[in-house]
């Protein structure tokens, strides 16, 4: 599953009243996945168990947009330099590419707070995967949220 799939799954789960468990670990959903699942958790009343571990919610993934600090240009991450997720390669609006962009050169909007807000608002969620985290606030499975 990638970022687009996260939005599709999120839209399906927003109105779903039968699914109680979702296993979506080890996917490339990135920040879009964090936002989509955060939105779902605010409105879905039946989801009890969620595993979204190892989805890079806390850093940009391929397909995410970043803003260059030097020019303000909005660019798209298209791969990682030497497979290092801290060193994205980006496509600029002109279509040209820039490899090995350092974290100090770009900004991006983390959606981890949106995911955490969804967790806090959920009235049905009983557990979240062991390796899920929210800016250091969740270190073990979340149990009995909302009751």
């Amino acid at each position: 599953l990638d970022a687009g799939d996260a939005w599709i799954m999120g839209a399906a789960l927003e109105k779903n009243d039968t699914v109680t468990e979702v296993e979506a670990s080890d996917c490339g959903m990135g920040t879009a996945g964090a936002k989509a699942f955060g939105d779902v958790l605010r409105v879905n009343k039946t989801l009890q168990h969620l595993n979204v571990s190892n989805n890079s919610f806390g850093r940009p993934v391929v397909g995410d947009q970043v803003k260059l600090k030097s020019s303000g240009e909005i660019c798209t991450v298209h791969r990682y330099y030497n497979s290092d997720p801290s060193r994205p390669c980006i496509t600029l609006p002109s279509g040209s590419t820039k490899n090995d962009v350092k974290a100090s050169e770009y900004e991006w909007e983390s959606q981890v707070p949106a995911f955490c807000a969804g967790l806090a608002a959920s009235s049905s969620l009983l557990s979240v995967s062991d390796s899920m985290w929210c800016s250091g606030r969740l270190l073990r499975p979340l149990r009995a949220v909302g009751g």
Side-chain angles (χ1 to χ4, degrees), residues 19-21 44 46-50 124-128:
V19 174
T20 61
E21 185 170 343
N44 181 289
T46 57
L47 190 60
Q48 296 177 358
H49 307 283
L50 177 63
S124 61
L125 197 62
L126 300 174
S127 70
V128 176

Side-chain angles (χ1 to χ4, degrees), residues 112 116 132-140:
V112 169
C116 292
M132 183 72 266
W133 57 272
C134 288
S135 300
R137 288 179 275 193
L138 297 180
L139 301 176
R140 55 192 163 80

Side-chain angles (χ1 to χ4, degrees), residues 108-126:
W108 66 282
E109 186 176 355
S110 172
Q111 294 297 330
V112 169
F115 181 77
C116 292
L119 287 175
S122 176
S123 61
S124 61
L125 197 62
L126 300 174

Side-chain angles (χ1 to χ4, degrees), residues 3-147:
D5 296 323
W7 286 110
I8 292 168
M9 184 182 289
L13 288 171
E14 278 185 1
K15 295 183 171 100
N16 188 291
D17 62 358
T18 57
V19 174
T20 61
E21 185 170 343
V22 171
E23 165 65 48
S25 63
D26 298 306
C27 301
M29 293 188 286
T31 57
K35 173 87 168 95
F37 278 101
D39 291 347
V40 164
L41 292 171
R42 284 190 196 102
V43 297
N44 181 289
K45 303 298 182 213
T46 57
L47 190 60
Q48 296 177 358
H49 307 283
L50 177 63
N51 184 354
V52 289
S53 60
N54 301 317
N55 270 296
S56 305
F57 283 359
R59 66 176 184 256
V61 298
V62 172
D64 278 348
Q65 293 188 327
V66 297
K67 179 180 176 181
L68 291 180
K69 291 180 180 179
S70 60
S71 65
E73 292 177 291
I74 303 297
C75 306
T76 304
V77 175
H78 67 266
R79 68 179 179 89
Y80 292 110
Y81 187 75
N82 290 334
S83 300
D84 181 347
S86 68
R87 300 167 67 184
C89 299
I90 59 172
T91 302
L92 286 79
S94 65
S96 62
T97 60
K98 182 175 180 181
N99 293 330
D100 194 13
V101 180
K102 296 178 182 30
S104 61
E105 298 179 77
Y106 68 86
E107 298 173 336
W108 66 282
E109 186 176 355
S110 172
Q111 294 297 330
V112 169
F115 181 77
C116 292
L119 287 175
S122 176
S123 61
S124 61
L125 197 62
L126 300 174
S127 70
V128 176
S129 57
D130 280 335
S131 54
M132 183 72 266
W133 57 272
C134 288
S135 300
R137 288 179 275 193
L138 297 180
L139 301 176
R140 55 192 163 80
L142 181 66
R143 304 253 181 236
V145 172

